[in-house]
Amino acid sequence: MLTGRQDEDWEKNGKVRLFLNWQAAGHSSSMTYYFYKNGTGRPVVRSGDASGYEGTLPAGSYKVAVCNTDCNNVLLDMDSGYEVALGKVRQVSALKSSPVCIAQPGNLYACSCETVTAGGKETFVKELYPSSLVKTLELNIKITGGGEGEVSLNSLSGRLTGVSSQVHIPTGDPVFDTPAFLAFEPEPVATGVYTTSLNLFGLSGRGGRR
């Protein structure tokens, strides 16, 4: 466990120890800890490893969001408050259109705690359980003609609409305030049969925020 900055003026500071329990899941080698003091938007940011964080914070009550920063195709927007701490998928096209075409997110893990108390000599201890915020959708497509028999195509492409372009880091809830889609080109596995796997935060109609 990486030990953060220590300040032993216990009237102004408190010690925090967070353990990350991955429950045998794959994970990033390092994590960043965003501590949001009640009533403030910009967090106190600390770095730690995959096992957790131990260090001191200015005395007060916090909410903490934890995630890795080496995610793929995701921009982290963590400086405006716990409730709007977001991961935003990179847009593939610079054209202003609705819906927007986005890349596939990858390698994003997170967890959170809404009650962290720092102050005095007693250490605040909490075990957290990170999970992947990226879901995998497998599509199996069969192309049939108007009559009997199967259809053979040289190639096939498609769009998956209603996908989330953002995710709320503390809860893992997909956010659907910007219409978005994923473009894909499935691989043939048999005559007239195609398959593909897509990484995404969520699909409209299956929970999330708007």
Side-chain angles (χ1 to χ4, degrees):
M1 178 180 294
L2 182 66
T3 300
R5 186 174 60 195
Q6 303 290 326
D7 190 335
E8 296 185 357
D9 184 346
W10 302 122
E11 292 185 1
K12 297 181 180 180
N13 301 282
K15 193 172 183 180
V16 172
R17 183 181 299 138
L18 301 177
F19 296 98
L20 300 188
N21 185 345
W22 292 89
Q23 303 181 91
H27 56 79
S28 176
S29 60
S30 62
M31 302 291 281
T32 301
Y33 299 73
Y34 300 87
F35 293 92
Y36 298 87
K37 194 171 186 179
N38 288 355
T40 62
R42 185 173 293 273
V44 177
V45 183
R46 299 284 191 261
S47 296
D49 58 27
S51 64
Y53 168 79
E54 181 176 359
T56 58
L57 294 171
S61 297
Y62 297 81
K63 297 178 180 179
V64 61
V66 184
C67 67
N68 60 303
T69 59
D70 59 343
C71 41
N72 300 326
N73 294 324
V74 178
L75 173 65
L76 296 174
D77 185 0
M78 308 292 288
D79 291 339
S80 299
Y82 180 88
E83 297 300 330
V84 289
L86 299 172
K88 301 180 178 182
V89 185
R90 179 178 62 83
Q91 292 188 23
V92 173
S93 173
L95 297 177
K96 293 184 178 180
S97 61
S98 181
V100 297
C101 182
I102 60 174
Q104 296 187 46
N107 189 45
L108 179 58
Y109 300 88
C111 57
S112 65
C113 179
E114 294 197 350
T115 305
V116 176
T117 304
K121 293 183 179 181
E122 185 175 350
T123 301
F124 177 89
V125 180
K126 186 73 173 182
E127 186 175 38
L128 305 179
Y129 300 87
S131 61
S132 174
L133 303 192
V134 178
K135 310 298 187 294
T136 300
L137 175 68
E138 293 187 0
L139 296 178
N140 296 301
I141 304 167
K142 185 174 183 179
I143 307 297
T144 59
E148 296 183 358
E150 297 179 341
V151 177
S152 178
L153 302 175
N154 291 329
S155 63
L156 187 67
S157 62
R159 288 185 175 188
L160 179 66
T161 61
V163 299
S164 166
S165 63
Q166 303 177 90
V167 67
H168 185 233
I169 296 295
T171 62
D173 291 337
V175 180
F176 295 97
D177 59 354
T178 301
F181 70 90
L182 285 172
F184 62 90
E185 295 183 357
E187 296 290 330
V189 293
T191 302
V193 180
Y194 298 79
T195 186
T196 189
S197 295
L198 302 175
N199 291 334
L200 42 80
F201 289 142
L203 285 173
S204 180
R206 295 184 177 272
R209 299 184 173 200
R210 295 186 180 274

